[in-house]
Amino acid sequence: MENVKKKKIIEPILLLLFLSLFLFLFGSRMGLGNMFKTIMYTAHDLLLNTVFFIMAVAVLTGALGGLLSEFGVVEMLNKLLSPLMKPLYNLPGDAAIGIITTYLSDNPAVLSLVKDRNFIRCFKQYQLPLMCNLGTSFGMGLMLTTFMIAQSAIAGYSLLVPALVGNIAAVLGSVVSVRIMAFYTKKAFRHSAAFGDIEAAENTLSHTDKGLFERFMDAVLEGGKSGVDLGISIIPGVLIISTFIMMLTYGPASPEGYSGVAYEGIAVLPWLGKKLFWLLNFLFGFSSPELIAFPLTSLGSTGAALALVPKFITEGILMPNDVAVLTAIGMCWSGYLSTHVAMMDSLGSRQLVGKAIFSHTIGGISAGIFAHFVYMLIS
């Protein structure tokens, strides 16, 4: 009883202190009016341009996942890719579908797959949370790689090889992330079993009981519905966490000062990055301290981080080694701080959010280090 009474007294005080510190930290720099306007405008822009985009991706990939499951592609890939997925990640071959869908789209695309019972029947309980780290390691990979290669015209030299090196390093980073996370999930689900023992009644309907077109439409529509549910479920995590990360990453939108527009902030993360530049230069071989803004922005959104690249090139501070490192980190992290909480919640493993974030932080850093040394070797 005494502990309960203490909590009732201490918790409100701690919350008020935290809110006061938040208001002082941002309000003293931005002004309270501008701070609240920025919070609202940033959250609104994220909702319209990020969340709904992710929801659209989830609907499409959900439909794709339904088709792959209905027509046996998942089962076939499980047999073909299990020799590769097992030694690398200790996951069933089905997990490769998560890599493909997130590489072509974004992190939450993997959630549409794990909601499909036909997909997860080869998984053990401790393996499902690993799909969050695995999928996030390849989020927006195709767009990121294509964007980096396209900057060759501005840079005046080919960035194809550095971008490909970044992709290889992201794979290595994903292995580190998943393997570390597996250490925690095995502890959390000590007595886990495979999902293959789902009630037989759910799988007794023969595919021949329905026509080909009917099966096609059912798979597409049911898979799409799961994407809608997932799109709605990630809204709180994206709006709250990503807004906070953006406000810690960016400074005033104009030289005149703060105006309360979206994506303004106090630029604490870049300042910290400059203080640690000596270490980051050793690990990643960065040619300029300004480049740290890319991985720091990738914590919240890789899409936003890509907007920094053309400016780096025009300022002459982006070298081929930097492209390899930024590609690896940008792909492996791909805004995981803004999606990990919602994704782990959707996977029913909210209690492991901290472990997932820690594991993926190490994985992204490892990807950057791999990219630097691999590029040094081939160049």
Side-chain angles (χ1 to χ4, degrees), residues 6-147:
K6 287 182 179 179
K7 284 185 177 180
K8 288 183 177 180
I9 297 174
I10 295 175
E11 288 181 352
I13 295 176
L14 291 177
L15 177 60
L16 290 174
L17 288 175
F18 173 78
L19 293 176
S20 300
L21 178 63
F22 179 87
L23 292 173
F24 175 77
L25 184 65
F26 288 92
S28 61
R29 292 283 303 276
M30 303 174 63
L32 288 177
N34 289 331
M35 182 193 73
F36 284 114
K37 285 174 63 179
T38 295
I39 291 174
M40 299 305 172
Y41 282 130
T42 302
H44 180 254
D45 189 74
L46 286 171
L47 177 64
L48 294 180
N49 296 317
T50 302
V51 173
F52 287 153
F53 171 76
I54 293 174
M55 182 184 293
V57 170
V59 170
L60 295 175
T61 54
L64 175 61
L67 285 175
L68 295 175
S69 295
E70 177 67 22
F71 291 94
V73 176
V74 169
E75 186 175 353
M76 180 185 68
L77 287 174
N78 180 46
K79 295 178 180 179
L80 293 176
L81 299 177
S82 56
L84 179 63
M85 300 303 294
K86 187 73 174 178
L88 287 180
Y89 303 104
N90 194 26
L91 290 173
D94 296 35
I97 299 294
I99 294 176
I100 296 170
T101 54
T102 53
Y103 188 83
L104 297 175
S105 54
D106 205 352
N107 306 346
V110 75
L111 296 180
S112 299
L113 298 174
V114 298
K115 295 297 181 180
D116 187 333
R117 290 191 173 187
N118 288 324
F119 175 81
I120 67 172
R121 70 178 185 273
C122 299
F123 287 77
K124 292 184 178 179
Q125 190 176 0
Y126 81 88
Q127 292 175 324
L128 269 191
L130 303 180
M131 292 299 294
C132 175
N133 285 29
L134 179 67
T136 303
S137 299
F138 298 92
M140 299 177 64
L142 181 62
M143 188 183 80
L144 174 62
T145 304
T146 305
F147 181 87

Side-chain angles (χ1 to χ4, degrees), residues 11 94 124 143 145 147-148 163 167 178 181 211 221 243 263 275 305 312 373 375:
E11 288 181 352
D94 296 35
K124 292 184 178 179
M143 188 183 80
T145 304
F147 181 87
M148 287 296 193
N167 276 252
V178 171
M181 184 60 183
L221 295 178
T243 296
Y263 302 109
K275 297 296 182 182
F312 291 156
F373 287 102
Y375 188 80

Side-chain angles (χ1 to χ4, degrees), residues 226-359:
S226 67
V228 174
D229 296 336
L230 292 170
I232 293 175
S233 69
I234 67 171
I235 290 177
V238 172
L239 297 192
I240 296 171
I241 298 174
S242 193
T243 296
F244 182 67
I245 293 297
M246 295 296 181
M247 292 182 69
L248 286 175
T249 301
Y250 296 104
S254 65
E256 288 74 19
Y258 294 99
S259 56
V261 299
Y263 302 109
E264 286 190 324
I266 56 177
V268 171
L269 295 181
W271 176 80
L272 290 175
K274 289 182 179 180
K275 297 296 182 182
L276 298 173
F277 178 70
W278 62 273
L279 176 62
L280 299 172
N281 176 259
F282 170 74
L283 295 177
F284 305 132
F286 280 166
S287 57
S288 175
E290 285 80 5
L291 296 176
I292 194 60
F294 185 98
L296 291 175
T297 307
S298 295
L299 295 171
S301 171
T302 294
L306 290 178
L308 302 172
V309 175
K311 184 178 179 182
F312 291 156
I313 294 176
T314 56
E315 292 177 354
I317 62 175
L318 191 69
M319 300 293 108
N321 174 80
D322 303 322
V323 172
V325 174
L326 297 185
T327 301
I329 295 178
M331 187 189 305
C332 197
W333 277 353
S334 56
Y336 74 103
L337 285 186
S338 61
T339 59
H340 249 48
V341 176
M343 290 176 69
M344 291 297 289
D345 189 27
S346 297
L347 290 168
S349 303
R350 183 185 297 181
Q351 74 278 12
L352 296 173
V353 167
K355 304 294 192 303
I357 290 176
F358 168 75
S359 304

Side-chain angles (χ1 to χ4, degrees), residues 135-200:
T136 303
S137 299
F138 298 92
M140 299 177 64
L142 181 62
M143 188 183 80
L144 174 62
T145 304
T146 305
F147 181 87
M148 287 296 193
I149 296 174
Q151 303 310 302
S152 301
I154 303 176
Y157 48 85
S158 176
L159 298 177
L160 174 62
V161 173
L164 294 179
V165 169
N167 276 252
I168 296 171
V171 174
L172 298 175
S174 71
V175 173
V176 173
S177 176
V178 171
R179 287 290 186 169
I180 294 176
M181 184 60 183
F183 174 79
Y184 298 109
T185 58
K186 285 181 179 179
K187 282 188 174 181
F189 302 104
R190 288 185 178 87
H191 306 293
S192 62
F195 287 91
D197 298 328
I198 300 171
E199 294 84 354

